[in-house]
Every structure is written in structure tokens, then in C-alpha cells.
Amino acid sequence: MGKHKPIWDPSTDCGDYVVATGCTDVYVTGRKMQQKQYYRQTTKPGALKAINMETMVRKWGGGEVLKRAVRGMLPKNRLRDPRLARLKVFEGEMHPYKENLIKFDGRGRSRMKDLLVAKTAALDAKPV
């Protein structure tokens, strides 16, 4: 949502991207894999489709289960879809956003600091 930013306003969307990796390892307790149902409707009479979690993980992966869980937790307003679009889920550990991450493995890493260090190293190495 971006509440930590100085430009935050409740009517605008100024949050950050979230990258979730390792979604193949979705773990749930009890018998939720067999009993939890996900529904979709095409607005036609009799077109309500139900699928359980086990089938969904097999068909679309654990990322879809995570996306639907997060979608249910977000506020039900016009900002829900743009916020959900900033959630990037990946089945494995590899993803194309490694260079863009500010926090990785729990330790703070400023991208601007890395760029500044690289720039000063390049200027020191270049003879004038």
C-alpha cells in the first residue's frame, strides 16, 4: 500500500512490488488440499465451476493458490486489481527481478548504494 512513503494517499496506489518464489512448496495443514474448493462463475445459469486445491496446484501451480489467498485479503475496492498485479509469483527460486530487489534474504541492500559504489570504482579505474 505504500504507507511508509511520504507521498502516501489513501485514494492512490503507491505501493511496492512483491516477489514470491518457491510456490511449488505450498504446504497446508489438515485435509485442505482435498477439501478446500475454489469457485468460478461465467454468469450463465448453471455455469458455476468448482475445483479443489489439489487439482489447482497440479493444473496451475502453487502460485495461483497464493494469488487467490492474497486477493481475498486485499480490500474490496478499485485498487485491488492494481495491487494484485504487483504480486509476482514464481514456482522455482529463479526470477528476473533479482537486480531490482531492495531487500533480499532479510538484510537491507540499497540499490542506489550499489550503483554509487560501482560508479566511484569506475571513476577511480579510469585514468584522467
Side-chain angles (χ1 to χ4, degrees):
M1 289 175 58
K3 286 186 177 181
H4 63 285
K5 295 183 178 181
I7 61 169
W8 183 78
D9 181 52
S11 64
T12 59
D13 192 20
C14 55
D16 296 325
Y17 282 78
V18 175
V19 178
T21 59
C23 292
T24 55
D25 304 328
V26 173
Y27 177 76
V28 291
T29 58
R31 298 186 54 202
K32 291 183 189 82
M33 277 290 202
Q34 292 82 27
Q35 292 180 344
K36 181 158 179 61
Q37 296 286 317
Y38 293 97
Y39 300 98
R40 59 183 193 269
Q41 171 63 270
T42 63
T43 67
K44 294 181 181 178
L48 181 65
K49 305 286 185 190
I51 186 172
N52 65 2
M53 186 186 288
E54 188 175 33
T55 308
M56 182 177 285
V57 169
R58 192 172 49 245
K59 195 170 186 180
W60 290 302
E64 184 65 25
V65 172
L66 180 66
K67 275 188 177 182
R68 290 202 183 196
V70 170
R71 182 177 175 82
M73 290 184 253
L74 288 174
K76 281 65 172 176
N77 58 20
R78 65 182 178 83
L79 297 176
R80 178 199 255 186
D81 289 335
R83 286 178 181 159
L84 193 63
R86 286 196 318 267
L87 173 65
K88 307 296 181 186
V89 293
F90 297 96
E91 298 298 318
E93 295 298 321
M94 299 298 295
H95 61 87
Y97 301 107
K98 286 193 192 270
E99 291 298 317
N100 300 343
L101 291 178
I102 293 174
K103 287 196 175 181
F104 186 69
D105 289 337
R107 43 173 222 262
R109 185 187 81 177
S110 172
R111 181 152 165 70
M112 292 304 292
K113 184 178 177 185
D114 291 345
L115 292 174
L116 185 62
V117 168
K119 185 176 179 181
T120 55
L123 288 175
D124 292 340
K126 187 166 108 177
V128 179

Tab-separated table of all heavy atoms in Angstrom, residues 34-88:
chain	number	residue	atom	x	y	z
A	34	GLN	N	-7.539	-31.528	-0.267
A	34	GLN	CA	-8.649	-32.248	-0.870
A	34	GLN	C	-9.993	-31.542	-0.650
A	34	GLN	O	-10.896	-31.671	-1.467
A	34	GLN	CB	-8.753	-33.669	-0.303
A	34	GLN	CG	-7.609	-34.571	-0.684
A	34	GLN	CD	-6.384	-34.370	0.197
A	34	GLN	OE1	-6.498	-33.962	1.343
A	34	GLN	NE2	-5.215	-34.627	-0.348
A	35	GLN	N	-10.135	-30.791	0.444
A	35	GLN	CA	-11.442	-30.259	0.809
A	35	GLN	C	-11.685	-28.808	0.422
A	35	GLN	O	-12.825	-28.419	0.217
A	35	GLN	CB	-11.652	-30.405	2.320
A	35	GLN	CG	-11.794	-31.844	2.744
A	35	GLN	CD	-11.990	-31.970	4.238
A	35	GLN	OE1	-11.743	-31.042	4.983
A	35	GLN	NE2	-12.432	-33.144	4.669
A	36	LYS	N	-10.645	-27.987	0.339
A	36	LYS	CA	-10.853	-26.573	0.010
A	36	LYS	C	-11.258	-26.432	-1.447
A	36	LYS	O	-10.599	-26.949	-2.336
A	36	LYS	CB	-9.600	-25.750	0.281
A	36	LYS	CG	-9.803	-24.287	-0.026
A	36	LYS	CD	-8.842	-23.425	0.702
A	36	LYS	CE	-9.040	-21.970	0.376
A	36	LYS	NZ	-10.350	-21.468	0.721
A	37	GLN	N	-12.335	-25.708	-1.678
A	37	GLN	CA	-12.878	-25.529	-3.021
A	37	GLN	C	-12.666	-24.099	-3.496
A	37	GLN	O	-12.802	-23.150	-2.721
A	37	GLN	CB	-14.386	-25.836	-3.022
A	37	GLN	CG	-14.729	-27.263	-2.676
A	37	GLN	CD	-14.409	-28.210	-3.799
A	37	GLN	OE1	-14.678	-27.940	-4.952
A	37	GLN	NE2	-13.806	-29.340	-3.454
A	38	TYR	N	-12.337	-23.945	-4.758
A	38	TYR	CA	-12.255	-22.645	-5.417
A	38	TYR	C	-13.343	-22.613	-6.490
A	38	TYR	O	-13.514	-23.571	-7.233
A	38	TYR	CB	-10.881	-22.444	-6.055
A	38	TYR	CG	-9.776	-22.343	-5.035
A	38	TYR	CD1	-9.007	-23.446	-4.704
A	38	TYR	CD2	-9.511	-21.143	-4.409
A	38	TYR	CE1	-8.000	-23.360	-3.773
A	38	TYR	CE2	-8.495	-21.043	-3.465
A	38	TYR	CZ	-7.749	-22.148	-3.158
A	38	TYR	OH	-6.756	-22.053	-2.229
A	39	TYR	N	-14.054	-21.497	-6.562
A	39	TYR	CA	-15.191	-21.390	-7.466
A	39	TYR	C	-14.946	-20.337	-8.528
A	39	TYR	O	-14.257	-19.349	-8.286
A	39	TYR	CB	-16.457	-21.014	-6.686
A	39	TYR	CG	-16.828	-22.013	-5.631
A	39	TYR	CD1	-16.474	-21.809	-4.306
A	39	TYR	CD2	-17.509	-23.169	-5.964
A	39	TYR	CE1	-16.800	-22.736	-3.333
A	39	TYR	CE2	-17.846	-24.099	-4.999
A	39	TYR	CZ	-17.483	-23.871	-3.687
A	39	TYR	OH	-17.807	-24.794	-2.730
A	40	ARG	N	-15.551	-20.538	-9.691
A	40	ARG	CA	-15.576	-19.509	-10.729
A	40	ARG	C	-16.920	-19.598	-11.432
A	40	ARG	O	-17.513	-20.669	-11.549
A	40	ARG	CB	-14.404	-19.635	-11.687
A	40	ARG	CG	-14.296	-20.924	-12.425
A	40	ARG	CD	-13.034	-20.935	-13.287
A	40	ARG	NE	-13.083	-22.014	-14.218
A	40	ARG	CZ	-12.608	-23.221	-13.993
A	40	ARG	NH1	-12.042	-23.487	-12.849
A	40	ARG	NH2	-12.714	-24.160	-14.899
A	41	GLN	N	-17.390	-18.446	-11.913
A	41	GLN	CA	-18.722	-18.337	-12.492
A	41	GLN	C	-18.649	-17.512	-13.771
A	41	GLN	O	-17.971	-16.496	-13.808
A	41	GLN	CB	-19.645	-17.660	-11.469
A	41	GLN	CG	-21.018	-17.253	-11.948
A	41	GLN	CD	-21.878	-18.406	-12.391
A	41	GLN	OE1	-21.852	-18.756	-13.547
A	41	GLN	NE2	-22.634	-18.989	-11.486
A	42	THR	N	-19.322	-17.975	-14.804
A	42	THR	CA	-19.326	-17.246	-16.072
A	42	THR	C	-20.582	-16.406	-16.240
A	42	THR	O	-20.824	-15.889	-17.321
A	42	THR	CB	-19.225	-18.224	-17.257
A	42	THR	OG1	-20.380	-19.061	-17.242
A	42	THR	CG2	-17.963	-19.035	-17.188
A	43	THR	N	-21.378	-16.263	-15.209
A	43	THR	CA	-22.644	-15.522	-15.162
A	43	THR	C	-23.752	-16.172	-15.990
A	43	THR	O	-24.806	-15.585	-16.156
A	43	THR	CB	-22.494	-14.037	-15.578
A	43	THR	OG1	-22.165	-13.959	-16.954
A	43	THR	CG2	-21.437	-13.348	-14.750
A	44	LYS	N	-23.522	-17.338	-16.535
A	44	LYS	CA	-24.589	-18.074	-17.219
A	44	LYS	C	-25.228	-19.026	-16.215
A	44	LYS	O	-24.543	-19.541	-15.323
A	44	LYS	CB	-24.021	-18.862	-18.398
A	44	LYS	CG	-23.479	-17.986	-19.503
A	44	LYS	CD	-22.958	-18.825	-20.635
A	44	LYS	CE	-22.401	-17.944	-21.732
A	44	LYS	NZ	-21.838	-18.735	-22.824
A	45	PRO	N	-26.502	-19.293	-16.357
A	45	PRO	CA	-27.153	-20.207	-15.410
A	45	PRO	C	-26.533	-21.608	-15.458
A	45	PRO	O	-26.324	-22.172	-16.524
A	45	PRO	CB	-28.602	-20.246	-15.897
A	45	PRO	CG	-28.771	-19.023	-16.710
A	45	PRO	CD	-27.434	-18.707	-17.290
A	46	GLY	N	-26.201	-22.131	-14.299
A	46	GLY	CA	-25.636	-23.472	-14.211
A	46	GLY	C	-24.164	-23.546	-14.560
A	46	GLY	O	-23.633	-24.633	-14.765
A	47	ALA	N	-23.488	-22.416	-14.634
A	47	ALA	CA	-22.086	-22.416	-15.052
A	47	ALA	C	-21.124	-22.256	-13.875
A	47	ALA	O	-19.980	-21.863	-14.073
A	47	ALA	CB	-21.854	-21.301	-16.061
A	48	LEU	N	-21.550	-22.552	-12.669
A	48	LEU	CA	-20.670	-22.469	-11.510
A	48	LEU	C	-19.730	-23.680	-11.523
A	48	LEU	O	-20.171	-24.823	-11.513
A	48	LEU	CB	-21.479	-22.449	-10.221
A	48	LEU	CG	-20.677	-22.335	-8.929
A	48	LEU	CD1	-19.979	-20.999	-8.863
A	48	LEU	CD2	-21.578	-22.518	-7.728
A	49	LYS	N	-18.441	-23.422	-11.568
A	49	LYS	CA	-17.440	-24.495	-11.597
A	49	LYS	C	-16.689	-24.499	-10.276
A	49	LYS	O	-16.327	-23.445	-9.751
A	49	LYS	CB	-16.422	-24.255	-12.719
A	49	LYS	CG	-17.028	-24.067	-14.087
A	49	LYS	CD	-17.511	-25.357	-14.645
A	49	LYS	CE	-17.994	-25.105	-16.064
A	49	LYS	NZ	-18.677	-26.211	-16.626
A	50	ALA	N	-16.423	-25.674	-9.746
A	50	ALA	CA	-15.675	-25.832	-8.504
A	50	ALA	C	-14.463	-26.709	-8.770
A	50	ALA	O	-14.518	-27.666	-9.547
A	50	ALA	CB	-16.547	-26.460	-7.433
A	51	ILE	N	-13.354	-26.367	-8.121
A	51	ILE	CA	-12.115	-27.134	-8.256
A	51	ILE	C	-11.468	-27.152	-6.874
A	51	ILE	O	-11.498	-26.154	-6.157
A	51	ILE	CB	-11.203	-26.500	-9.333
A	51	ILE	CG1	-9.987	-27.352	-9.606
A	51	ILE	CG2	-10.801	-25.109	-8.965
A	51	ILE	CD1	-9.161	-26.875	-10.789
A	52	ASN	N	-10.902	-28.288	-6.474
A	52	ASN	CA	-10.262	-28.325	-5.168
A	52	ASN	C	-8.803	-27.880	-5.276
A	52	ASN	O	-8.250	-27.744	-6.359
A	52	ASN	CB	-10.397	-29.700	-4.508
A	52	ASN	CG	-9.677	-30.785	-5.260
A	52	ASN	OD1	-9.040	-30.547	-6.265
A	52	ASN	ND2	-9.791	-31.999	-4.758
A	53	MET	N	-8.182	-27.644	-4.134
A	53	MET	CA	-6.832	-27.091	-4.100
A	53	MET	C	-5.814	-28.032	-4.735
A	53	MET	O	-4.900	-27.585	-5.429
A	53	MET	CB	-6.418	-26.771	-2.668
A	53	MET	CG	-5.083	-26.062	-2.566
A	53	MET	SD	-4.495	-25.820	-0.886
A	53	MET	CE	-5.589	-24.572	-0.308
A	54	GLU	N	-5.965	-29.306	-4.527
A	54	GLU	CA	-5.020	-30.280	-5.080
A	54	GLU	C	-5.002	-30.216	-6.608
A	54	GLU	O	-3.943	-30.197	-7.233
A	54	GLU	CB	-5.406	-31.682	-4.606
A	54	GLU	CG	-4.412	-32.745	-4.952
A	54	GLU	CD	-4.815	-34.074	-4.335
A	54	GLU	OE1	-6.029	-34.341	-4.221
A	54	GLU	OE2	-3.906	-34.830	-3.978
A	55	THR	N	-6.174	-30.138	-7.213
A	55	THR	CA	-6.268	-30.046	-8.668
A	55	THR	C	-5.717	-28.718	-9.160
A	55	THR	O	-5.061	-28.659	-10.203
A	55	THR	CB	-7.733	-30.211	-9.117
A	55	THR	OG1	-8.256	-31.394	-8.527
A	55	THR	CG2	-7.835	-30.302	-10.614
A	56	MET	N	-5.968	-27.648	-8.420
A	56	MET	CA	-5.468	-26.330	-8.827
A	56	MET	C	-3.943	-26.289	-8.800
A	56	MET	O	-3.318	-25.748	-9.717
A	56	MET	CB	-6.037	-25.239	-7.938
A	56	MET	CG	-5.579	-23.854	-8.361
A	56	MET	SD	-6.275	-22.552	-7.397
A	56	MET	CE	-7.912	-22.532	-8.043
A	57	VAL	N	-3.338	-26.864	-7.758
A	57	VAL	CA	-1.869	-26.886	-7.683
A	57	VAL	C	-1.300	-27.719	-8.819
A	57	VAL	O	-0.296	-27.357	-9.433
A	57	VAL	CB	-1.415	-27.419	-6.305
A	57	VAL	CG1	0.071	-27.708	-6.295
A	57	VAL	CG2	-1.770	-26.429	-5.208
A	58	ARG	N	-1.947	-28.822	-9.136
A	58	ARG	CA	-1.475	-29.675	-10.219
A	58	ARG	C	-1.637	-28.986	-11.575
A	58	ARG	O	-0.788	-29.105	-12.450
A	58	ARG	CB	-2.220	-31.010	-10.188
A	58	ARG	CG	-1.630	-32.063	-11.073
A	58	ARG	CD	-2.260	-33.438	-10.887
A	58	ARG	NE	-3.717	-33.406	-10.920
A	58	ARG	CZ	-4.501	-33.703	-9.884
A	58	ARG	NH1	-3.976	-34.034	-8.727
A	58	ARG	NH2	-5.808	-33.671	-10.002
A	59	LYS	N	-2.731	-28.255	-11.748
A	59	LYS	CA	-3.040	-27.650	-13.042
A	59	LYS	C	-2.328	-26.320	-13.261
A	59	LYS	O	-1.751	-26.076	-14.326
A	59	LYS	CB	-4.555	-27.443	-13.137
A	59	LYS	CG	-5.069	-27.156	-14.512
A	59	LYS	CD	-6.589	-27.205	-14.517
A	59	LYS	CE	-7.117	-27.066	-15.924
A	59	LYS	NZ	-8.583	-27.112	-15.942
A	60	TRP	N	-2.361	-25.412	-12.261
A	60	TRP	CA	-1.798	-24.063	-12.431
A	60	TRP	C	-0.631	-23.754	-11.507
A	60	TRP	O	-0.040	-22.682	-11.605
A	60	TRP	CB	-2.881	-23.011	-12.208
A	60	TRP	CG	-3.895	-22.985	-13.283
A	60	TRP	CD1	-3.677	-22.778	-14.613
A	60	TRP	CD2	-5.292	-23.182	-13.149
A	60	TRP	NE1	-4.859	-22.831	-15.298
A	60	TRP	CE2	-5.878	-23.078	-14.418
A	60	TRP	CE3	-6.120	-23.431	-12.070
A	60	TRP	CZ2	-7.226	-23.212	-14.638
A	60	TRP	CZ3	-7.468	-23.565	-12.293
A	60	TRP	CH2	-8.012	-23.453	-13.567
A	61	GLY	N	-0.315	-24.610	-10.563
A	61	GLY	CA	0.807	-24.373	-9.676
A	61	GLY	C	0.386	-23.723	-8.366
A	61	GLY	O	-0.732	-23.223	-8.215
A	62	GLY	N	1.326	-23.688	-7.436
A	62	GLY	CA	1.051	-23.112	-6.122
A	62	GLY	C	0.935	-21.599	-6.150
A	62	GLY	O	0.378	-20.991	-5.236
A	63	GLY	N	1.452	-20.972	-7.195
A	63	GLY	CA	1.351	-19.516	-7.301
A	63	GLY	C	-0.083	-19.037	-7.416
A	63	GLY	O	-0.444	-17.984	-6.888
A	64	GLU	N	-0.914	-19.794	-8.100
A	64	GLU	CA	-2.325	-19.412	-8.239
A	64	GLU	C	-3.046	-19.508	-6.894
A	64	GLU	O	-3.888	-18.667	-6.580
A	64	GLU	CB	-3.011	-20.306	-9.266
A	64	GLU	CG	-4.431	-19.940	-9.546
A	64	GLU	CD	-4.604	-18.578	-10.193
A	64	GLU	OE1	-3.674	-18.087	-10.853
A	64	GLU	OE2	-5.703	-18.003	-10.028
A	65	VAL	N	-2.698	-20.486	-6.076
A	65	VAL	CA	-3.279	-20.604	-4.740
A	65	VAL	C	-2.876	-19.392	-3.904
A	65	VAL	O	-3.702	-18.792	-3.209
A	65	VAL	CB	-2.826	-21.918	-4.064
A	65	VAL	CG1	-3.258	-21.974	-2.617
A	65	VAL	CG2	-3.357	-23.108	-4.835
A	66	LEU	N	-1.606	-19.001	-3.990
A	66	LEU	CA	-1.123	-17.835	-3.252
A	66	LEU	C	-1.813	-16.563	-3.730
A	66	LEU	O	-2.232	-15.730	-2.912
A	66	LEU	CB	0.391	-17.711	-3.406
A	66	LEU	CG	1.029	-16.536	-2.677
A	66	LEU	CD1	0.905	-16.721	-1.181
A	66	LEU	CD2	2.472	-16.391	-3.087
A	67	LYS	N	-1.956	-16.405	-5.037
A	67	LYS	CA	-2.620	-15.208	-5.570
A	67	LYS	C	-4.067	-15.114	-5.092
A	67	LYS	O	-4.539	-14.038	-4.733
A	67	LYS	CB	-2.598	-15.221	-7.097
A	67	LYS	CG	-1.341	-14.677	-7.684
A	67	LYS	CD	-1.495	-14.539	-9.185
A	67	LYS	CE	-0.257	-13.926	-9.776
A	67	LYS	NZ	-0.367	-13.719	-11.208
A	68	ARG	N	-4.777	-16.229	-5.089
A	68	ARG	CA	-6.174	-16.199	-4.645
A	68	ARG	C	-6.280	-15.925	-3.154
A	68	ARG	O	-7.213	-15.270	-2.705
A	68	ARG	CB	-6.863	-17.503	-4.995
A	68	ARG	CG	-7.053	-17.632	-6.491
A	68	ARG	CD	-8.136	-18.585	-6.809
A	68	ARG	NE	-8.260	-18.758	-8.253
A	68	ARG	CZ	-9.303	-19.295	-8.825
A	68	ARG	NH1	-10.297	-19.723	-8.091
A	68	ARG	NH2	-9.351	-19.414	-10.122
A	69	ALA	N	-5.311	-16.410	-2.367
A	69	ALA	CA	-5.316	-16.127	-0.931
A	69	ALA	C	-5.066	-14.644	-0.676
A	69	ALA	O	-5.754	-14.013	0.130
A	69	ALA	CB	-4.268	-16.975	-0.227
A	70	VAL	N	-4.111	-14.069	-1.388
A	70	VAL	CA	-3.807	-12.643	-1.225
A	70	VAL	C	-4.976	-11.800	-1.718
A	70	VAL	O	-5.329	-10.793	-1.102
A	70	VAL	CB	-2.498	-12.276	-1.960
A	70	VAL	CG1	-2.289	-10.783	-2.010
A	70	VAL	CG2	-1.319	-12.955	-1.287
A	71	ARG	N	-5.600	-12.212	-2.810
A	71	ARG	CA	-6.757	-11.477	-3.339
A	71	ARG	C	-7.881	-11.398	-2.315
A	71	ARG	O	-8.542	-10.377	-2.167
A	71	ARG	CB	-7.260	-12.139	-4.616
A	71	ARG	CG	-8.416	-11.411	-5.246
A	71	ARG	CD	-8.833	-12.075	-6.550
A	71	ARG	NE	-10.002	-11.459	-7.103
A	71	ARG	CZ	-10.004	-10.341	-7.824
A	71	ARG	NH1	-8.870	-9.739	-8.075
A	71	ARG	NH2	-11.127	-9.842	-8.296
A	72	GLY	N	-8.083	-12.480	-1.567
A	72	GLY	CA	-9.106	-12.476	-0.532
A	72	GLY	C	-8.773	-11.593	0.648
A	72	GLY	O	-9.658	-11.142	1.365
A	73	MET	N	-7.485	-11.324	0.871
A	73	MET	CA	-7.069	-10.485	1.994
A	73	MET	C	-7.027	-8.999	1.660
A	73	MET	O	-6.988	-8.171	2.561
A	73	MET	CB	-5.684	-10.925	2.481
A	73	MET	CG	-5.679	-12.252	3.170
A	73	MET	SD	-4.071	-12.632	3.814
A	73	MET	CE	-3.558	-13.892	2.670
A	74	LEU	N	-6.996	-8.656	0.380
A	74	LEU	CA	-6.936	-7.252	-0.009
A	74	LEU	C	-8.300	-6.588	0.140
A	74	LEU	O	-9.337	-7.255	0.054
A	74	LEU	CB	-6.466	-7.130	-1.465
A	74	LEU	CG	-4.996	-7.435	-1.711
A	74	LEU	CD1	-4.706	-7.417	-3.199
A	74	LEU	CD2	-4.105	-6.449	-0.999
A	75	PRO	N	-8.335	-5.271	0.337
A	75	PRO	CA	-9.614	-4.575	0.424
A	75	PRO	C	-10.399	-4.696	-0.878
A	75	PRO	O	-9.830	-4.690	-1.959
A	75	PRO	CB	-9.235	-3.113	0.680
A	75	PRO	CG	-7.810	-3.107	1.030
A	75	PRO	CD	-7.205	-4.373	0.543
A	76	LYS	N	-11.704	-4.799	-0.755
A	76	LYS	CA	-12.561	-4.974	-1.933
A	76	LYS	C	-12.920	-3.600	-2.494
A	76	LYS	O	-14.005	-3.078	-2.269
A	76	LYS	CB	-13.847	-5.722	-1.569
A	76	LYS	CG	-13.692	-7.226	-1.441
A	76	LYS	CD	-12.808	-7.627	-0.336
A	76	LYS	CE	-12.796	-9.113	-0.097
A	76	LYS	NZ	-11.854	-9.501	0.924
A	77	ASN	N	-11.989	-2.985	-3.219
A	77	ASN	CA	-12.232	-1.685	-3.828
A	77	ASN	C	-11.532	-1.608	-5.181
A	77	ASN	O	-10.989	-2.602	-5.657
A	77	ASN	CB	-11.789	-0.550	-2.897
A	77	ASN	CG	-10.334	-0.623	-2.519
A	77	ASN	OD1	-9.538	-1.257	-3.185
A	77	ASN	ND2	-9.981	0.030	-1.423
A	78	ARG	N	-11.508	-0.437	-5.790
A	78	ARG	CA	-10.967	-0.299	-7.144
A	78	ARG	C	-9.453	-0.458	-7.196
A	78	ARG	O	-8.885	-0.603	-8.284
A	78	ARG	CB	-11.363	1.048	-7.737
A	78	ARG	CG	-10.775	2.226	-7.022
A	78	ARG	CD	-11.241	3.531	-7.620
A	78	ARG	NE	-10.704	4.656	-6.904
A	78	ARG	CZ	-9.509	5.164	-7.108
A	78	ARG	NH1	-8.721	4.653	-8.016
A	78	ARG	NH2	-9.081	6.192	-6.398
A	79	LEU	N	-8.769	-0.450	-6.061
A	79	LEU	CA	-7.317	-0.602	-6.042
A	79	LEU	C	-6.877	-2.054	-5.906
A	79	LEU	O	-5.690	-2.345	-5.943
A	79	LEU	CB	-6.725	0.217	-4.889
A	79	LEU	CG	-6.936	1.727	-4.973
A	79	LEU	CD1	-6.394	2.386	-3.731
A	79	LEU	CD2	-6.283	2.287	-6.208
A	80	ARG	N	-7.819	-2.984	-5.752
A	80	ARG	CA	-7.465	-4.378	-5.530
A	80	ARG	C	-6.714	-4.975	-6.711
A	80	ARG	O	-5.661	-5.595	-6.535
A	80	ARG	CB	-8.713	-5.197	-5.262
A	80	ARG	CG	-8.407	-6.674	-5.083
A	80	ARG	CD	-9.622	-7.499	-5.270
A	80	ARG	NE	-10.112	-7.957	-4.000
A	80	ARG	CZ	-11.117	-8.801	-3.882
A	80	ARG	NH1	-11.766	-9.221	-4.929
A	80	ARG	NH2	-11.512	-9.214	-2.706
A	81	ASP	N	-7.203	-4.812	-7.922
A	81	ASP	CA	-6.556	-5.417	-9.091
A	81	ASP	C	-5.177	-4.824	-9.378
A	81	ASP	O	-4.237	-5.577	-9.663
A	81	ASP	CB	-7.468	-5.312	-10.310
A	81	ASP	CG	-8.670	-6.240	-10.188
A	81	ASP	OD1	-8.569	-7.250	-9.473
A	81	ASP	OD2	-9.709	-5.949	-10.808
A	82	PRO	N	-4.977	-3.490	-9.304
A	82	PRO	CA	-3.606	-2.985	-9.494
A	82	PRO	C	-2.632	-3.465	-8.425
A	82	PRO	O	-1.464	-3.715	-8.705
A	82	PRO	CB	-3.766	-1.465	-9.434
A	82	PRO	CG	-5.179	-1.201	-9.719
A	82	PRO	CD	-5.939	-2.402	-9.256
A	83	ARG	N	-3.110	-3.612	-7.202
A	83	ARG	CA	-2.232	-4.111	-6.145
A	83	ARG	C	-1.884	-5.576	-6.378
A	83	ARG	O	-0.749	-5.988	-6.165
A	83	ARG	CB	-2.907	-3.951	-4.784
A	83	ARG	CG	-2.929	-2.528	-4.312
A	83	ARG	CD	-3.644	-2.393	-3.011
A	83	ARG	NE	-3.664	-1.004	-2.590
A	83	ARG	CZ	-4.521	-0.504	-1.733
A	83	ARG	NH1	-5.433	-1.279	-1.179
A	83	ARG	NH2	-4.474	0.758	-1.401
A	84	LEU	N	-2.855	-6.352	-6.799
A	84	LEU	CA	-2.608	-7.766	-7.065
A	84	LEU	C	-1.692	-7.945	-8.268
A	84	LEU	O	-0.933	-8.907	-8.331
A	84	LEU	CB	-3.926	-8.500	-7.278
A	84	LEU	CG	-3.846	-10.016	-7.266
A	84	LEU	CD1	-3.381	-10.492	-5.898
A	84	LEU	CD2	-5.170	-10.629	-7.595
A	85	ALA	N	-1.729	-7.014	-9.218
A	85	ALA	CA	-0.855	-7.105	-10.388
A	85	ALA	C	0.613	-6.914	-10.003
A	85	ALA	O	1.504	-7.340	-10.741
A	85	ALA	CB	-1.260	-6.066	-11.429
A	86	ARG	N	0.882	-6.296	-8.861
A	86	ARG	CA	2.265	-6.106	-8.416
A	86	ARG	C	2.789	-7.289	-7.612
A	86	ARG	O	3.928	-7.268	-7.162
A	86	ARG	CB	2.365	-4.822	-7.601
A	86	ARG	CG	2.283	-3.588	-8.468
A	86	ARG	CD	2.764	-2.368	-7.738
A	86	ARG	NE	2.299	-2.298	-6.378
A	86	ARG	CZ	1.202	-1.673	-5.985
A	86	ARG	NH1	0.450	-1.063	-6.853
A	86	ARG	NH2	0.866	-1.653	-4.716
A	87	LEU	N	1.973	-8.314	-7.435
A	87	LEU	CA	2.429	-9.555	-6.801
A	87	LEU	C	2.948	-10.480	-7.900
A	87	LEU	O	2.203	-10.892	-8.780
A	87	LEU	CB	1.284	-10.230	-6.044
A	87	LEU	CG	1.581	-11.623	-5.484
A	87	LEU	CD1	2.661	-11.542	-4.417
A	87	LEU	CD2	0.319	-12.241	-4.934
A	88	LYS	N	4.219	-10.775	-7.873
A	88	LYS	CA	4.845	-11.650	-8.864
A	88	LYS	C	5.180	-12.974	-8.186
A	88	LYS	O	5.926	-13.014	-7.211
A	88	LYS	CB	6.133	-11.024	-9.419
A	88	LYS	CG	5.956	-9.614	-9.960
A	88	LYS	CD	5.045	-9.600	-11.134
A	88	LYS	CE	4.906	-8.187	-11.674
A	88	LYS	NZ	3.940	-8.078	-12.724
